[in-house]
Amino acid sequence: MSKRSYDSSAHEKRISKYRVNDDDLFEYVLRVAIISYVIQPKASNNLAHASEVKEKEHHSKFSGAISNSIVSIGDIFKDLRDGSKSVKFPEKLLKVLEQKLQNIAMGKDAAYSDQLTRRTMAVFYGQFIGDSFKRQMKENRSIEELILMFASQATSVLRKEPTLADDGWKVEVNNQIAQFVRMLRDCLKTLSHVSPELNSRLDMYHAKLAPPQSANDSGYDSASASRDRGDSISTQPSISQSISDMPFVMIVARLFKIPENAMQGEVDRMWKTCTEKAAVIDLKTCLKNINAGAPFPGRKEDFSSDTAWNHWRTQETSILSQLMVAMVSLNPELAKSMPSDNGSIYATSGARPGSLPSAHIDSPSRTKRHTSIGSRHSFFGAVDEGEENGGDEGDDDDEIRVGHNFTFIPPNPKKFYRRLVEYCLVTDLEFMFSPEVDDADEVPLSILSPPHVDLINECAMRWRINHTYRATCFLDQIKQLYERSDVPMECIPEALQCTTKLLQDLEIDKWPIQDSELLASVYGGLYNIFLSSLYHTMDALPNLKVSVAQPYLTVLDLIRESGLIERFEADISARLSDLTTHIQDVSVQFYQEKMQSLQASPGVNRALPLLLMTDELEKAAKQLDKRFPDPLVGGVDLVSLVVEAQVPLFISELQNSSRRLYESSMNGPTPDVPIQDIFSLYRRTQALLSMYKAFVPQGQLEFDLGQFFTPYIHHWLVDTDNKTGQWVQAAIAADKFEAENTERHSASVVDLFDSLRSPISFLQDLEWSDEYQEARFFTSLSKTISKAIEQYCRSVEELFMTEMFPRPTDYLQPQKSSAWLEKAKSLAIAGEKKIEPFNFRPESCVKLNNVEAARKLLDNLYNQMQVDKVADTIANHGPPVPDKNERPRFLFAVKIVMAEDLVPLDSSPSSLLDTFVTLSDEAGNRLVKTRTIYESLNPRWEETHDISIDKPLWLMCSIRDRALMGQHDVVGRSFICLNPKEFGDFLTHDVWLNLENTNNGHQGRILLRISMEGEKDDVQFYFGRAFRFLKRSEGDMMRIFIDKMSPYIRQSLSRPVLKTLIKAGSLGLDYNKALGNVTALYRSALGSNASEVQIPLPHNEKSRVRPEELTDVEIERAIIPLFDYFDANLHILNTYLSETAKDMVMMRVWKEILVIIEGLLIPPLSKLSSDMKPLSDKEVDIVFKWLKFLRDYFYAEGEGVSLEKLQNQKYRDVVSIRLYYDWHTDTLMEECVRTMQQSLREAVPIKKRVKSVYNQRNLGTIKERKKVKKEEKEVSNGETIMRILRMRPNTQEFIAQQLEMMTTVQAERERAQVDRQPRRSQRPRQAEIPQVPPLPSAAS
């Protein structure tokens, strides 16, 4: 509280409108002060011996006192010893206490005239004046230690007292300690600025040490028990009339600023009037007034119900009766002077004389105290629950008249009481602001000083002021002082605690009507005052601090919870509406000022002010929500009001900036507004809208967030699509293609997919509100991903092909010829040297691993994007598809399978071709180019390529012979039209094209396997294409691996080697070397295998008479170079390929071996005759032994490829050749017919639909398709028999008939299947497909 200057008129400014004359107030307050002194217990001057009966009675009381009154001093200070902090007393107390002890020891203090008390005090005084004792007390200033010092001296003195029999000394010790504590309390009253905590503790100690007695509303102590020394009161002692002995009189003098001599005259004037008898008569008059229904102190009309009236009457009559009992017990002469009432007085009291109901009361500082005559610092006590009155007061005393005929009670007690409280408050405020009080000194929030509290309580008791009015009056006075800014706001909650405590103890329904109405009025006024204060604190929004608003909110909530302001509901609702409007106005003003400030900042980025504004709004909302989580004053949601006012303003600003933002984000390669800021703005706006929805659930905000930012997403998708090429190039350029982990792939595939994963995560983090629109975004992004995968596959394949087909100047293998093709040709021409094997590089293996790893990473992208969910969203939630006029697109998969019967360009019949195939469009643009197959007139490419068209397209299929230098020669060419109408059944079609050459005519034929499916703008379709790119790249690269190994395998497993082996059978061999080379990486032990499949001979055939057989070692020695080649190259593959790629390559090598073994035994299937001759029995045995050795090598005793995989269907087909190889021609023909008829009778599987892109959209669908393919039915042996028949004479016509029959039956079955398929009439009509263009010119 800050100091103020007060002039002489300060007192008059604080006079309430209920004006009471100060002289009258002084008169009645002084009367109360005098009577409080008169009726105090006094020391007896005349002592007499009591009778024997009284001695026995007193002995009984004394025994009870011993059992009930002895209190351990250790128990009193137990809490302090357990850790409670001690409160230091003022240093001035030592000087005051020393003078007090000296007066008692010298017999100058009448209140302490008892000899035992004086003796104990004198002994303690002797210790007190010692220097060491004073020094000790000045250092610690502990009130507990001071009390303990006195207790020690009292115990030492009283234990030796002979007059105190048995345990009597213990009772006396407790009594004297209680007197000492009370003396300390009296001494502190004379000092200023005493800690309330210190006073509270002394009250507590006194309450514990005093004999069991109660204090009531009067504040008097009951009469103490006389000691067992025969003391009794015989006559009323004479008492001093000096005002220095009258504490309350001195307080009144200081309050009204009356000099002591003048005050002494006033006391002398009133002395005879202010008698105990007059006080008793006042009490008796109050009782009669209650019974008679007089206005004072209360009547039935003052209460709202009979229950409230009966409660108050019972309590009031009980208290009045007990007050009279207490006075008579202190002065029995009063009973003699009022014979007609003595009996009734004692009969009314339900307790023994001198005992009043106890009342525990709370001071304004919330410290519990025990009311006593020496300690009445509690301004408002709890409601005294007096005992029920045993009977009504007698009405036969004519001296007691009904009405307002009192000595000590003023004419209007409540007005006098109010004026007294006001007077005391003003006086204490003037003192607090006076120079005597330092700014650092603590002052009570109740304002009133302890002496004034005691005086007010004494007057309230004598004037019969209810506790309800006391608390309400004090609260009203504090409210008025606060309105005048004379007291701080903290005083209001302190005063409210009194009424709150009272409302808890006594329901408002039991209050007097006037008091409850007054409290409601005061509460209403306070509510308006603090609501107005809260109104002005809102000017600090949105940076309002809890510490600023919380004091007002606490008071408002306290008042609102009382329920007393419901009568002002209309006015309060209007005020709350004003508060709500003000909050929104302040919020709008803050937004406008902040936005103007942000937009005024320099810079061309128009999104930056909006971004910063979203930060401010979100920060302010979260801050307010954290500081004020609950609505204010019962219904004002601060955060909701702020958000409701500010967010629509921001949305309006955003819409107004739409055009400028878009233009600024598109103006060049480095736009003024980066796209990242646009998307940051999207996220912040989305967060604001979510916040608005959460805090303002009933609010309507018309704004389509998705529609606003969709153009930016489309622009970002286009930009991302343009960057994919850079990502692929950067990833490959930085890659050294060295294995980096257990998967053995390099960094480029990881870098690329990290780049592709980033936009997916970005889109997902946007949390787009429109699921369908988000699905369309992901579809567009999947197309970009497919494009990037295709580019990566092509780039890696180009590098791979460069390594696999190096130029002599680029790469030379150590001790090997890098240009093996040219060397092989020269060796073949010379006929003396063999083909040198090709050795693989680790980098090539890593590239294959990259493609394999890319499939797994692409599958991860598939799952991250939740492609199936995206596709379902588009299918189920998309808008209806409008009729489209644009042409549909179709995706053709053209597989270039093989060519046969190619004619060499040279005249030499032994000449071979190095062929590759190209597909070109009508304009001559090359669309497809295959790899080169060397030295073959029946090459197999087995390559698939995708061609996307929107109209029929003619393709020119050309086979060219690769030349080392110059232009490649055309072997033959033909045309094929990719017409969607012809391939609309979505089945796979085998198309044989007859090749023609301008100069030489017919040049053989080529097989194309063509299928078609509709190209769709679909996320699953794009992922399927990406997987297909990877699968084809993987297959092409593996095929190159096999193609590089195949020439050497063919050379090692060839008919010349067979003939050489048979001719050289008698030559000596290095068996140790042969056996050592066989036990390589994947070889198993040599020798026969009991589990080997034995092919039984027909019953009509005899066992072959074999010529002299070669040993297994000799047979194996012939292919030892092949095992050495496998040891070298498979070690490289095993080291650098991943586990998956290694398994696939091994199986491809094994399949190539089976094809080569098959080619040794029989020619390919064709209707043309073959020049190939059958092998001899010995040669057939050698071939199958080679097959066994190679199988055991790859099995490697269980450490290599499993037998299940090695002995696959192809292996079983090759083994079955041995069964039919030596059969007679006619028998073979019969078996062929029987087999073909049986296969036709069985349910031949219908031709499957094309392997769609959708079947390859992820690893799961790919594995499922492989599983189904594995379960397909095995083929018959008819084809094997026809291939054997090609080596027999006069079988060409038979084979042609069988092939034609197979083709015809299969075509009929396919047509029947197509006819059974449901018509697609339900499908939406598509735009008409253009007519087929004319066949282009065949000119080269």
Side-chain angles (χ1 to χ4, degrees):
M1 208 184 302
S2 61
K3 287 190 174 183
R4 297 175 182 273
S5 62
Y6 284 82
D7 54 16
S8 59
S9 63
H11 186 275
E12 289 299 326
K13 289 197 301 183
R14 293 174 177 82
I15 299 301
S16 95
K17 63 180 181 179
Y18 301 103
R19 189 176 184 87
V20 174
N21 187 281
D22 287 350
D23 293 338
D24 295 340
L25 178 65
F26 170 75
E27 176 79 16
Y28 281 97
V29 172
L30 183 56
R31 291 183 184 185
V32 172
I34 294 172
I35 192 61
S36 66
Y37 170 74
V38 170
I39 63 177
Q40 281 184 355
K42 305 298 184 301
S44 301
N45 293 327
N46 300 321
L47 301 176
H49 295 285
S51 63
E52 185 176 350
V53 177
K54 289 184 178 182
E55 288 179 357
K56 292 180 180 180
E57 182 182 354
H58 181 72
H59 180 72
S60 175
K61 294 179 180 179
F62 182 74
S63 299
I66 290 176
S67 62
N68 296 323
S69 301
I70 297 177
V71 179
S72 171
I73 195 70
D75 293 338
I76 295 174
F77 299 144
K78 180 178 183 298
D79 294 338
L80 297 170
R81 291 176 180 175
D82 290 345
S84 179
K85 184 179 178 182
S86 177
V87 181
K88 294 184 178 182
F89 58 78
E91 190 174 349
K92 296 179 181 179
L93 176 64
L94 294 176
K95 184 175 181 181
V96 177
L97 184 59
E98 181 180 355
Q99 184 63 42
K100 187 75 171 177
L101 290 172
Q102 182 181 359
N103 292 340
I104 294 173
M106 297 176 65
K108 294 182 179 180
D109 196 327
Y112 300 89
S113 59
D114 181 77
Q115 293 300 320
L116 284 179
T117 303
R118 288 181 56 192
R119 187 186 311 167
T120 305
M121 295 292 182
V123 173
F124 181 70
Y125 174 72
Q127 181 186 11
F128 189 91
I129 60 177
D131 293 335
S132 60
F133 183 89
K134 286 185 176 181
R135 190 182 313 110
Q136 180 182 355
M137 288 295 102
K138 286 182 179 180
E139 290 175 357
N140 55 48
R141 290 162 56 194
S142 171
I143 199 70
E144 288 78 17
E145 187 170 347
L146 185 60
I147 296 173
L148 287 173
M149 289 289 189
F150 175 82
S152 176
Q153 291 296 332
T155 302
S156 176
V157 172
L158 296 176
R159 289 182 66 175
K160 303 175 183 179
E161 176 59 39
T163 59
L164 300 176
D166 299 328
D167 290 333
W169 67 273
K170 294 182 180 180
V171 178
E172 189 62 22
V173 167
N174 272 12
N175 290 337
Q176 291 199 11
I177 294 174
Q179 292 184 54
F180 181 76
V181 171
R182 186 173 61 186
M183 181 177 66
L184 290 175
R185 186 69 176 85
D186 293 339
C187 292
L188 288 173
K189 289 182 180 180
T190 62
L191 302 177
S192 59
H193 312 306
V194 178
S195 170
E197 176 66 15
L198 182 58
N199 289 329
S200 175
R201 287 197 180 185
L202 289 176
D203 290 343
M204 179 186 68
Y205 299 155
H206 182 270
K208 290 184 177 181
L209 289 165
Q213 50 188 306
S214 300
N216 67 354
D217 196 28
S218 67
Y220 286 104
D221 292 333
S222 61
S224 60
S226 300
R227 301 186 189 94
D228 194 16
R229 299 193 304 269
D231 298 338
S232 63
I233 300 175
S234 58
T235 59
Q236 177 69 21
S238 59
I239 59 176
S240 171
Q241 295 186 17
S242 173
I243 63 171
S244 59
D245 297 329
M246 304 177 186
F248 279 120
V249 173
M250 295 300 296
I251 294 172
V252 173
R254 289 192 293 271
L255 175 63
F256 288 91
K257 300 178 182 179
I258 306 298
E260 290 189 11
N261 55 352
M263 181 57 74
Q264 185 66 55
E266 293 293 335
V267 170
D268 293 341
R269 176 177 63 83
M270 298 182 184
W271 186 258
K272 293 183 179 181
T273 304
C274 301
T275 63
E276 293 173 280
K277 180 179 179 180
V280 172
I281 291 174
D282 278 4
L283 297 175
K284 293 277 291 177
T285 304
C286 289
L287 280 172
K288 282 201 170 187
N289 284 351
I290 292 174
N291 294 329
F296 182 83
R299 55 184 174 181
K300 186 176 181 180
E301 289 79 2
D302 295 335
F303 296 89
S304 59
S305 65
D306 292 341
T307 303
W309 157 248
N310 292 330
H311 176 272
W312 176 85
R313 183 181 62 178
T314 301
Q315 182 187 44
E316 184 69 12
T317 55
S318 176
I319 293 173
L320 291 172
S321 299
Q322 291 177 46
L323 287 173
M324 289 186 288
V325 169
M327 294 179 66
V328 172
S329 63
L330 292 174
N331 187 3
E333 296 297 329
L334 290 175
K336 297 179 182 180
S337 65
M338 301 178 64
S340 61
D341 293 331
N342 286 347
S344 62
I345 292 176
Y346 287 102
T348 302
S349 175
R352 63 179 176 82
S355 176
L356 294 176
S358 62
H360 296 279
I361 54 180
D362 290 343
S363 70
S365 59
R366 302 184 187 180
T367 303
K368 288 189 176 182
R369 300 172 182 172
H370 184 80
T371 304
S372 66
I373 195 167
S375 177
R376 288 187 296 273
H377 289 229
S378 173
F379 187 37
F380 306 110
V383 177
D384 295 323
E385 297 293 341
E387 300 179 10
E388 290 190 6
N389 196 0
D392 293 335
E393 192 65 30
D395 295 332
D396 55 348
D397 188 357
D398 295 336
E399 297 180 5
I400 307 300
R401 295 177 298 169
V402 175
H404 203 90
N405 306 305
F406 302 105
T407 303
F408 301 99
I409 302 175
N412 192 331
K414 289 186 177 180
K415 285 189 177 182
F416 274 77
Y417 177 82
R418 183 184 186 87
R419 178 62 185 130
L420 175 61
V421 172
E422 184 180 14
Y423 208 104
C424 292
L425 286 170
V426 171
T427 302
D428 288 335
L429 278 174
E430 290 176 349
F431 176 75
M432 289 179 183
F433 290 117
S434 66
E436 300 178 18
V437 180
D438 190 77
D439 290 339
D441 292 339
E442 294 184 1
V443 294
L445 292 176
S446 61
I447 309 300
L448 294 173
S449 62
H452 289 168
V453 171
D454 291 341
L455 178 62
I456 292 172
N457 277 343
E458 190 71 19
C459 291
M461 183 273 298
R462 286 294 162 191
W463 296 346
R464 304 313 305 148
I465 303 297
N466 291 329
H467 290 281
T468 55
Y469 183 78
R470 298 187 200 182
T472 306
C473 176
F474 179 73
L475 178 61
D476 190 22
Q477 292 292 327
I478 293 296
K479 177 181 79 75
Q480 294 181 19
L481 291 174
Y482 174 71
E483 287 182 282
R484 298 197 294 265
S485 301
D486 288 338
V487 296
M489 190 195 66
E490 290 78 8
C491 294
I492 298 294
E494 187 73 14
L496 275 172
Q497 291 300 323
C498 302
T499 56
T500 303
K501 180 65 168 59
L502 202 57
L503 287 170
Q504 293 173 355
D505 295 337
L506 183 64
E507 299 85 352
I508 191 67
D509 294 340
K510 294 183 180 180
W511 283 37
I513 295 175
Q514 290 184 354
D515 293 351
S516 62
E517 290 180 350
L518 176 61
L519 181 63
S521 176
V522 175
Y523 270 18
L526 281 174
Y527 200 85
N528 281 331
I529 292 171
F530 278 81
L531 198 59
S532 176
S533 300
L534 184 65
Y535 179 96
H536 293 292
T537 60
M538 295 302 153
D539 293 337
L541 284 175
N543 300 315
L544 178 63
K545 295 182 178 179
V546 179
S547 57
V548 176
Q550 191 59 49
Y552 306 112
L553 295 174
T554 301
V555 173
L556 290 170
D557 290 341
L558 196 63
I559 296 174
R560 182 175 52 83
E561 291 170 1
S562 69
L564 294 175
I565 58 171
E566 294 179 356
R567 66 187 67 181
F568 310 110
E569 188 64 33
D571 182 57
I572 291 175
S573 298
R575 297 296 300 275
L576 290 177
S577 177
D578 293 342
L579 178 63
T580 299
T581 303
H582 182 65
I583 291 172
Q584 292 186 326
D585 291 344
V586 172
S587 302
V588 170
Q589 182 180 0
F590 170 82
Y591 174 87
Q592 293 173 344
E593 293 176 354
K594 192 66 180 179
M595 181 57 76
Q596 291 176 1
S597 173
L598 293 174
Q599 291 177 342
S601 301
V604 295
N605 190 343
R606 297 181 180 275
L608 189 58
L610 295 171
L611 281 171
L612 296 177
M613 194 67 224
T614 59
D615 287 342
E616 291 291 337
L617 298 181
E618 189 172 356
K619 175 185 174 183
K622 290 182 177 179
Q623 179 176 274
L624 288 175
D625 188 45
K626 182 178 180 181
R627 292 177 177 178
F628 304 96
D630 299 320
L632 310 183
V633 291
V636 179
D637 193 337
L638 189 59
V639 189
S640 297
L641 292 173
V642 173
V643 171
E644 185 180 11
Q646 293 181 344
V647 172
L649 292 176
F650 174 80
I651 296 300
S652 177
E653 184 70 30
L654 182 64
Q655 290 174 322
N656 294 335
S657 306
S658 173
R659 182 176 179 180
R660 296 192 300 271
L661 280 175
Y662 189 79
E663 292 174 352
S664 300
S665 64
M666 304 295 172
N667 56 355
T670 56
D672 295 339
V673 179
I675 195 68
Q676 292 81 3
D677 287 354
I678 293 295
F679 292 127
S680 297
L681 184 61
Y682 168 83
R683 294 189 187 94
R684 303 288 178 80
T685 306
Q686 187 181 47
L688 285 182
L689 292 177
S690 300
M691 186 173 66
Y692 182 86
K693 185 176 181 180
F695 288 116
V696 194
Q698 305 301 327
Q700 297 294 331
L701 195 58
E702 298 297 332
F703 178 68
D704 190 339
L705 181 67
Q707 183 180 1
F708 186 88
F709 285 95
T710 295
Y712 301 100
I713 297 291
H714 289 313
H715 175 73
W716 172 80
L717 288 171
V718 172
D719 187 60
T720 302
D721 185 71
N722 295 333
K723 290 179 180 178
T724 52
Q726 301 174 10
W727 294 346
V728 174
Q729 293 174 4
I732 292 179
D735 196 359
K736 297 180 180 179
F737 292 99
E738 297 176 353
E740 295 187 345
N741 50 31
T742 56
E743 297 294 331
R744 300 176 183 175
H745 57 73
S746 61
S748 61
V749 66
V750 177
D751 295 342
L752 174 62
F753 277 88
D754 285 344
S755 300
L756 296 177
R757 191 180 300 109
S758 176
I760 297 176
S761 301
F762 172 79
L763 269 182
Q764 291 174 337
D765 292 341
L766 289 179
E767 297 179 357
W768 203 262
S769 56
D770 188 342
E771 291 186 4
Y772 174 77
Q773 189 66 50
E774 184 183 43
R776 297 304 309 169
F777 295 155
F778 279 121
T779 301
S780 177
L781 186 59
S782 65
K783 184 177 181 180
T784 299
I785 293 173
S786 177
K787 174 183 174 182
I789 297 298
E790 180 182 8
Q791 183 178 352
Y792 181 78
C793 290
R794 289 177 178 174
S795 301
V796 170
E797 280 193 79
E798 289 176 2
L799 295 175
F800 180 81
M801 295 298 289
T802 302
E803 294 168 356
M804 299 302 288
F805 299 99
R807 295 183 179 181
T809 57
D810 294 339
Y811 175 76
L812 291 176
Q813 298 186 17
Q815 301 178 357
K816 305 287 182 180
S817 171
S818 56
W820 69 270
L821 173 62
E822 290 76 13
K823 195 167 187 178
K825 285 187 175 182
S826 63
L827 291 176
I829 294 173
E832 297 177 355
K833 297 182 180 180
K834 297 182 179 180
I835 298 174
E836 290 292 336
F838 183 85
N839 294 301
F840 300 102
R841 298 176 60 180
E843 294 86 342
S844 303
C845 298
V846 172
K847 290 179 176 65
L848 181 58
N849 294 339
N850 283 2
V851 176
E852 174 62 28
R855 296 178 68 189
K856 297 179 181 179
L857 294 173
L858 183 60
D859 194 63
N860 293 338
L861 290 186
Y862 187 96
N863 297 327
Q864 179 186 356
M865 192 183 286
Q866 299 179 330
V867 172
D868 295 336
K869 181 180 178 181
V870 170
D872 291 342
T873 300
I874 293 178
N876 300 327
H877 300 89
V881 180
D883 293 336
K884 296 182 179 180
N885 295 323
E886 66 268 16
R887 295 176 182 175
R889 296 196 65 85
F890 301 93
L891 182 67
F892 279 84
V894 180
K895 184 174 184 179
I896 304 172
V897 183
M898 57 178 285
E900 62 180 24
D901 301 330
L902 298 181
V903 178
L905 297 178
D906 298 336
S907 58
S908 174
S910 61
S911 297
L912 299 176
L913 297 174
D914 302 333
T915 56
F916 64 91
V917 180
T918 61
L919 298 179
S920 304
D921 63 9
E922 300 154 346
N925 301 316
R926 190 172 69 185
L927 304 180
V928 172
K929 177 178 178 296
T930 68
R931 72 188 192 282
T932 302
I933 302 298
Y934 294 94
E935 298 181 343
S936 176
L937 298 179
N938 299 287
R940 295 185 69 91
W941 293 276
E942 297 284 350
E943 291 188 17
T944 304
H945 300 271
D946 289 340
I947 300 176
S948 178
I949 65 173
D950 61 353
K951 61 181 179 179
L953 176 68
W954 281 100
L955 293 179
M956 182 174 66
C957 177
S958 302
I959 298 182
R960 297 176 182 267
D961 182 28
R962 178 176 291 278
L964 294 177
M965 299 179 64
Q967 187 176 4
H968 307 303
D969 297 327
V970 177
V971 177
R973 62 178 45 155
S974 184
F975 292 89
I976 178 71
C977 181
L978 300 182
N979 186 1
K981 290 183 178 180
E982 295 182 6
F983 297 90
D985 54 3
F986 298 99
L987 298 176
T988 301
H989 298 257
D990 288 347
V991 180
W992 285 96
L993 299 178
N994 293 321
L995 300 172
E996 296 182 357
N997 189 299
T998 306
N999 300 325
N1000 301 328
H1002 180 72
Q1003 290 293 106
R1005 63 178 185 167
I1006 185 171
L1007 174 62
L1008 301 181
R1009 190 162 290 148
I1010 303 174
S1011 61
M1012 183 199 77
E1013 62 181 310
E1015 183 173 349
K1016 299 180 180 179
D1017 185 23
D1018 179 74
V1019 62
Q1020 291 179 333
F1021 178 85
Y1022 292 127
F1023 267 90
R1025 288 192 67 177
F1027 272 105
R1028 179 180 283 185
F1029 290 139
L1030 292 172
K1031 182 61 178 176
R1032 288 177 180 173
S1033 295
E1034 181 184 69
D1036 291 344
M1037 295 169 75
M1038 283 195 206
R1039 192 178 297 112
I1040 297 299
F1041 272 108
I1042 304 306
D1043 288 347
K1044 288 298 184 182
M1045 299 174 71
S1046 181
Y1048 194 81
I1049 297 173
R1050 288 183 183 276
Q1051 175 183 278
S1052 301
L1053 302 174
S1054 62
R1055 292 197 173 201
V1057 174
L1058 274 175
K1059 296 184 182 301
T1060 303
L1061 176 61
I1062 293 175
K1063 290 180 181 179
S1066 60
L1067 298 178
L1069 299 175
D1070 187 353
Y1071 298 113
N1072 292 330
K1073 180 180 179 182
L1075 289 173
N1077 289 333
V1078 170
T1079 55
L1081 180 63
Y1082 288 106
R1083 294 184 57 192
S1084 63
L1086 299 178
S1088 61
N1089 191 342
S1091 63
E1092 181 178 357
V1093 178
Q1094 300 294 330
I1095 307 300
L1097 294 175
H1099 64 278
N1100 57 355
E1101 280 196 41
K1102 297 181 180 180
S1103 299
R1104 295 178 181 143
V1105 179
R1106 299 179 181 275
E1108 183 180 354
E1109 295 184 356
L1110 295 169
T1111 64
D1112 288 347
V1113 175
E1114 291 173 335
I1115 295 173
E1116 187 175 13
R1117 181 180 179 276
I1119 58 174
I1120 285 298
L1122 179 60
F1123 287 130
D1124 292 340
Y1125 175 71
F1126 283 159
D1127 286 343
N1129 283 277
L1130 294 183
H1131 176 71
I1132 294 176
L1133 300 181
N1134 183 64
T1135 303
Y1136 295 101
L1137 283 180
S1138 66
E1139 292 296 325
T1140 305
K1142 180 175 64 178
D1143 291 344
M1144 289 190 293
V1145 170
M1146 295 296 290
M1147 287 307 300
R1148 291 289 185 94
V1149 174
W1150 175 243
K1151 182 179 179 181
E1152 185 68 16
I1153 291 173
L1154 293 176
V1155 171
I1156 292 173
I1157 293 291
E1158 186 182 44
L1160 277 174
L1161 297 170
I1162 56 178
L1165 180 62
S1166 174
K1167 63 183 179 180
L1168 302 177
S1169 61
S1170 174
D1171 297 333
M1172 185 176 178
K1173 302 298 180 181
L1175 296 176
S1176 66
D1177 293 343
K1178 188 174 184 178
E1179 290 172 336
V1180 171
D1181 290 341
I1182 293 172
V1183 170
F1184 278 100
K1185 282 188 179 287
W1186 282 349
L1187 178 61
K1188 173 185 174 299
F1189 295 153
L1190 289 167
R1191 184 199 65 186
D1192 293 341
Y1193 176 85
F1194 278 86
Y1195 178 61
E1197 295 183 343
E1199 296 182 2
V1201 183
S1202 66
L1203 284 176
E1204 181 183 2
K1205 293 181 179 179
L1206 292 173
Q1207 296 177 354
N1208 54 19
Q1209 181 62 40
K1210 186 66 176 178
Y1211 176 85
R1212 293 192 292 271
D1213 292 341
V1214 173
V1215 172
S1216 68
I1217 295 174
R1218 192 172 193 174
L1219 176 63
Y1220 304 105
Y1221 206 76
D1222 293 337
W1223 283 19
H1224 191 272
T1225 301
D1226 294 339
T1227 306
L1228 284 175
M1229 288 182 178
E1230 292 175 1
E1231 181 65 18
C1232 179
V1233 172
R1234 186 189 64 81
T1235 304
M1236 294 297 294
Q1237 290 176 349
Q1238 181 180 356
S1239 63
L1240 292 176
R1241 286 196 301 267
E1242 294 177 353
V1244 179
I1246 298 302
K1247 191 174 184 181
K1248 293 182 175 58
R1249 294 170 69 88
V1250 62
K1251 183 166 63 176
S1252 170
V1253 169
Y1254 288 93
N1255 295 331
Q1256 305 179 61
R1257 64 182 183 271
N1258 59 29
L1259 292 182
T1261 57
I1262 294 174
K1263 291 179 181 178
E1264 185 66 24
R1265 181 174 178 84
K1266 287 182 177 180
K1267 181 179 178 182
V1268 173
K1269 185 177 180 181
K1270 187 177 180 181
E1271 295 174 354
E1272 291 179 359
K1273 188 176 180 180
E1274 298 180 3
V1275 297
S1276 66
N1277 294 322
E1279 292 185 4
T1280 301
I1281 295 173
M1282 283 190 288
R1283 293 175 67 177
I1284 295 174
L1285 287 173
R1286 282 195 68 193
M1287 297 184 294
R1288 308 290 176 90
N1290 303 320
T1291 59
Q1292 182 176 357
E1293 185 178 352
F1294 173 80
I1295 294 174
Q1297 291 176 354
Q1298 294 298 317
L1299 291 177
E1300 185 177 356
M1301 184 183 302
M1302 290 175 58
T1303 304
T1304 302
V1305 172
Q1306 183 66 24
E1308 290 178 357
R1309 290 181 179 274
E1310 290 181 9
R1311 284 194 296 271
Q1313 175 67 17
V1314 171
D1315 293 339
R1316 285 195 297 267
Q1317 289 181 354
R1319 300 297 178 181
R1320 299 183 179 87
S1321 57
Q1322 293 82 6
R1323 297 177 60 185
R1325 295 181 57 85
Q1326 298 176 339
E1328 291 295 331
I1329 300 174
Q1331 295 297 323
V1332 179
L1335 179 68
S1337 173
S1340 57

